[in-house]
């Protein structure tokens, strides 16, 4: 009887609200590459979505300097896995600096802390007891992709330093990646295409333009989620309150880390950059895309890190690659799926119950 109940519990884990596909063996194996910071940062909300989605199998998480230092990304993500009840997912330490881009006065004055060598602050609940793996991120990424040719999808929601290093490290790597979903760039050709760190550059591409340049030209099939589509989202107090209306370890974390912000600025809203990129892999029908050639400027001038998209190749962009570029979002379906999954019982606990 106990086994029957646990079996039913296991089956129920694949029928949570917002579910688009239902079978264990249909899960999409991913490597989640992130400049992670605890909520309210978008990377952590994107990871919550991935952890709570039965369509996704996270093979490993690789960290990179971006929103904050590599050490902060790593210690925060280890703790998040404990809170989410999935401490078995391995975490690999990645690049602590961009390939070429150096710390500057502009970087220090502007958003982000990628260059910082300050020790990371303790995450909510204190530093994790879970440890990082004894293998570098690039080695894990290359090894995992080559072990399962054309099966592994990379979800990259920070600067592309780790991905570019993997491309450079192993000539057979790029041709064996199934797909690469990137949150990055801003496309002036499409509506809402301004930058968010310089007038035309998006933050992730601007932190490591050379890595974005290598990655976008690599031949890997790319689904690009630029600022154009991020700007179709607005995380408001209304949706925050819906999310935290149910009590779970994840919604408790959201309350602790986001509650004060919504109380202080009840009319403000936030873009859901990385969450949209992650959601588009779970349910591609949430976004509208156009095939464009996209390249990244690596001249150290006023357009450093700017992504340029065109419908045809233009002079200077002969090596640009065609990719899917997201520019519109079914906001209501997306946010309803996001809220339902974040507030659902922890998937880690349901999986463990099913396996017992
Ligand atoms: O420009 C938005 C991107 O920059 C997101 O990935 C966010 O996490 C920040 O890193
Ligand atoms: Ca990010």
């Amino acid at each position: 009887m106990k086994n029957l109940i646990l079996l039913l519990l296991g089956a129920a884990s694949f029928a949570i609200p917002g579910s688009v596909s239902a079978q264990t063996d249909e899960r999409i194996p991913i490597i989640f590459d992130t400049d992670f910071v605890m909520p309210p940062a978008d990377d952590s909300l994107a990871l919550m979505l991935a952890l709570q989605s039965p369509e996704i199998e996270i093979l490993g998480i690789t960290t990179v300097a971006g929103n904050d230092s590599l050490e902060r990304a790593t210690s925060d993500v280890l703790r998040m896995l404990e809170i989410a009840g999935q401490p078995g997912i391995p975490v690999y330490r990645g690049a602590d600096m961009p390939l070429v881009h150096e710390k500057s006065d502009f970087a220090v004055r502007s958003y982000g802390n990628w260059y910082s060598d300050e020790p990371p602050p303790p995450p909510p609940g204190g530093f994790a007891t879970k440890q990082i793996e004894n293998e570098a991120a690039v080695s894990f990424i290359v090894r995992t992709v080559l072990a399962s040719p054309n099966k592994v999808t990379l979800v990259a929601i920070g600067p592309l330093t780790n991905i570019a290093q993997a491309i450079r490290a192993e000539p057979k790597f790029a041709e064996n990646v199934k797909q690469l979903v990137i949150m990055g760039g801003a496309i002036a050709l499409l509506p809402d295409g301004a930058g968010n760190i310089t007038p035309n550059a998006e933050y992730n591409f601007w932190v490591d333009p050379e890595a974005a340049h290598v990655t976008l030209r690599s031949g890997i099939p790319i689904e690009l989620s630029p600022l154009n589509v991020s700007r179709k989202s607005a995380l408001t107090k209304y949706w925050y309150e819906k999310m935290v209306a149910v009590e779970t370890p994840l919604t408790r974390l959201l309350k602790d880390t986001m509650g004060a912000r919504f109380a202080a600025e009840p009319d403000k809203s936030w873009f859901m950059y990385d969450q949209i990129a992650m959601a588009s892999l779970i349910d591609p029908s949430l976004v509208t895309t156009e095939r464009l050639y996209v390249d990244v400027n690596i001249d150290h001038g006023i357009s450093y890190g700017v992504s340029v998209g065109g419908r045809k190749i233009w002079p200077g962009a002969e090596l640009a690659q065609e990719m899917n570029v997201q520019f519109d979002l079914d906001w209501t379906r997306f946010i309803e799926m996001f809220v339902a999954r974040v507030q659902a019982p922890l998937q880690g606990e349901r999986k463990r119950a099913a396996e017992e």
Side-chain angles (χ1 to χ4, degrees):
M1 186 60 184
K2 183 177 169 230
N3 283 348
L4 180 64
I5 292 168
L6 292 174
L7 197 69
L8 291 172
L9 260 176
S13 74
F14 301 104
I16 65 168
S19 185
V20 289
S21 75
Q23 300 300 317
T24 329
D25 55 8
E26 287 175 10
R27 287 195 302 166
I28 304 167
I30 70 165
I31 295 174
F32 191 90
D33 186 71
T34 173
D35 54 337
F36 195 88
V37 179
M38 280 286 181
D42 56 337
D43 291 73
S44 54
L45 274 69
L47 181 59
M48 283 186 188
L49 176 62
L51 291 168
Q52 290 286 93
S53 290
E55 301 86 353
I56 300 297
E57 178 188 14
I58 304 178
L59 303 174
I61 299 176
T62 51
T63 54
V64 66
N67 280 311
D68 210 298
S69 69
L70 177 71
E71 299 312 330
R72 172 95 187 258
T74 309
S75 67
D76 276 9
V77 85
L78 289 168
R79 178 71 191 125
M80 172 62 97
L81 290 173
E82 288 184 348
I83 294 171
Q86 300 207 36
I89 296 177
V91 176
Y92 302 83
R93 210 170 163 278
D96 62 355
M97 280 296 278
L99 297 181
V100 175
H101 199 170
E102 288 177 0
K103 179 179 177 179
S104 64
D105 290 345
F106 176 78
V108 174
R109 280 197 315 273
S110 312
Y111 172 78
N113 219 10
W114 46 274
Y115 44 78
S116 169
D117 50 16
E118 292 289 311
F127 288 106
T129 53
K130 174 176 168 58
Q131 298 290 308
I132 54 163
E133 301 303 306
N134 191 19
E135 182 181 11
V138 172
S139 160
F140 165 72
I141 294 170
V142 171
R143 174 173 65 78
T144 308
V145 164
L146 294 190
S148 303
N150 295 308
K151 293 270 188 306
V152 178
T153 293
L154 311 176
V155 177
I157 56 174
L160 290 163
T161 322
N162 292 335
I163 309 300
Q165 284 180 341
I167 292 164
R168 282 182 168 171
E170 169 53 60
K172 291 199 170 310
F173 170 75
E175 68 197 57
N176 284 298
V177 175
K178 178 163 189 207
Q179 191 191 6
L180 168 59
V181 181
I182 298 173
M183 191 287 127
I187 305 297
L189 179 75
L190 301 172
D192 293 323
N196 63 355
I197 183 79
T198 74
N200 290 320
E202 180 277 333
Y203 183 76
N204 286 339
F205 280 14
W206 177 82
V207 170
D208 199 339
E210 284 76 12
H213 189 255
V214 167
T215 305
L216 264 54
R217 289 179 169 209
S218 66
I220 299 175
I222 292 175
E223 174 85 15
L224 189 68
S225 191
L227 293 178
N228 308 69
V229 70
S230 317
R231 291 187 170 118
K232 308 296 180 200
S233 64
L235 181 55
T236 56
K237 188 163 185 259
Y238 172 84
W239 291 108
Y240 160 76
E241 282 176 348
K242 273 194 169 267
M243 239 181 304
V244 299
V246 175
E247 176 81 3
T248 77
L250 290 182
T251 61
R252 218 171 298 133
L253 175 68
L254 292 178
K255 260 194 216 165
D256 293 346
T257 51
M258 296 171 81
R261 181 165 94 163
F262 280 110
E265 298 178 284
D267 297 325
K268 201 170 162 182
S269 65
W270 281 267
F271 294 131
M272 300 179 76
Y273 310 100
D274 296 344
Q275 302 93 317
I276 295 171
M278 187 60 237
S280 71
L281 181 63
I282 298 165
D283 183 356
S285 74
L286 292 172
V287 292
T288 312
T289 63
E290 182 173 347
R291 294 287 290 170
L292 292 180
Y293 294 90
V294 183
D295 212 351
V296 179
N297 190 304
I298 52 171
D299 297 336
H300 290 209
I302 57 171
S303 291
Y304 191 41
V306 169
S307 48
V308 183
R311 295 195 171 97
K312 291 185 182 141
I313 289 292
W314 63 99
E318 289 79 8
L319 297 178
Q321 178 186 322
E322 211 178 9
M323 59 194 71
N324 284 341
V325 178
Q326 302 175 359
F327 64 93
D328 205 359
L329 172 73
D330 187 332
W331 162 250
T332 307
R333 272 203 312 123
F334 160 74
I335 191 66
E336 284 176 351
M337 175 180 94
F338 186 82
V339 169
R341 291 183 179 210
V342 166
Q343 65 173 214
L346 292 189
Q347 167 137 316
E349 280 166 14
R350 293 196 307 272
K351 267 201 302 210
R352 264 193 304 284
E355 283 160 12
E356 266 172 29

